Amino acid sequence: MRQIPLALLAPPAHSFDNFLPGANAEALAYLMGLMPGDPPVLLWGPTGSGKTHLLQGLAERWQSAGQRVAWYDADTPLPWELPAHESLLLLDDCQRFDAGQQHAAFGLFVASAGQGYNVVATADAPAVDLPLREDLRTRLGWGPSFALSPLSEPEMRAALRRDADRRGLLLGDDVLGYLLTRFERNLKGLMALLERLDEFALATKRAITLPLLKAMLADETGEGREKKMDSDPNL
């Protein structure tokens, strides 16, 4: 019979302090210096490059300073209303916006123009390549644009070790190597996998080892989380 582990350790809030910039230091520095009324900013790059983390870090920074923050993404129900006072408007994953949301996002740009609002948006491609209505693409591409890159393998290792240390876990090089070679190098996904591994270790009362990781993956058969690779006789 397995124990059910208690959720004693809440995940850290996404902030600038726990963002590993890697090749994205320029974007981080710009956002840290963002001032009310500055032009709109677009952060673009592939999944795992830290776009949403930076938005959440920016929101945390502005809210800590007493500023209002409004968040809009593809899961935010319409209508999208402009806050009554100057605010930070965050548009996440713009490439996912449907026709109604694109219309609403453009409306936010129009209504906030010259009123002291800031708009910071994210997408998976530069504005010119986004499958959006032309007037919205133009607004997204008007201000500074930063191409974000995923962390390198050494940086990814450092991030996973830091999260393991936060959890009080001893993460061997063999476990780290397996995670980075068998799974997509998406930091958010790897962090979630590490969290599941921590829970599995607590439930089974075993130390985190490569055999334990493989046992957990076998226990999760059918979830399709492991990358397809050449057959491994040790699996």
Side-chain angles (χ1 to χ4, degrees):
M1 181 177 179
R2 290 185 184 175
Q3 291 184 341
I4 300 177
L6 299 177
L8 300 178
L9 190 63
H14 283 164
S15 69
F16 287 160
D17 290 339
N18 58 28
F19 180 75
L20 293 178
N24 304 320
E26 183 181 2
L28 174 61
Y30 187 88
L31 293 179
M32 291 182 70
L34 191 68
M35 300 295 292
D38 279 350
V41 180
L42 177 64
L43 309 173
W44 62 272
T47 300
S49 56
K51 302 184 299 294
T52 300
H53 188 144
L54 281 175
L55 280 198
Q56 293 173 342
L58 184 61
E60 187 272 337
R61 184 181 181 88
W62 279 53
Q63 287 175 327
S64 295
Q67 302 287 337
R68 298 176 179 85
V69 177
W71 184 286
Y72 310 88
D73 59 31
D75 297 320
T76 306
L78 296 172
W80 292 358
E81 298 181 354
L82 187 71
H85 301 282
E86 295 85 351
S87 302
L88 174 64
L89 310 180
L90 302 177
L91 307 174
D92 195 26
D93 279 345
C94 292
Q95 77 281 351
R96 296 180 56 216
F97 290 178
D98 61 25
Q101 292 165 338
Q102 292 177 43
H103 177 78
F106 178 69
L108 292 176
F109 272 105
V110 172
S112 64
Q115 303 298 316
Y117 291 78
N118 289 75
V119 179
V120 181
T122 71
D124 63 357
V128 68
D129 294 330
L130 292 174
L132 303 174
R133 50 189 281 173
E134 178 63 22
D135 51 9
L136 179 57
R137 287 198 295 110
T138 300
R139 294 299 178 113
L140 289 171
W142 175 60
S145 179
F146 296 92
L148 302 186
S149 302
L151 296 175
S152 66
E153 181 174 332
E155 292 163 343
M156 195 79 73
R157 284 179 178 270
L160 290 172
R161 282 203 182 281
R162 185 174 69 176
D163 194 56
D165 290 344
R166 180 182 69 84
R167 296 175 179 278
L169 305 178
L170 181 60
L171 205 60
D173 288 337
D174 55 345
V175 175
L176 264 178
Y178 194 88
L179 291 175
L180 291 171
T181 57
R182 293 276 168 169
F183 293 87
E184 182 181 357
R185 290 181 186 174
N186 177 329
L187 186 57
K188 182 179 179 180
L190 289 173
M191 290 289 195
L193 195 153
L194 184 60
E195 181 178 3
R196 301 203 313 275
L197 182 58
D198 183 16
E199 294 174 351
F200 190 78
L202 288 172
T204 57
K205 298 183 180 180
R206 295 169 60 186
I208 291 182
T209 61
L210 185 53
L212 181 72
L213 172 59
K214 292 180 178 180
M216 184 194 77
L217 295 174
D219 195 59
E220 295 181 346
T221 298
E223 292 190 13
R225 300 182 186 276
E226 191 171 5
K227 284 196 329 183
K228 299 216 176 268
M229 297 193 64
D230 294 336
S231 59
D232 183 341
N234 295 317
L235 288 177

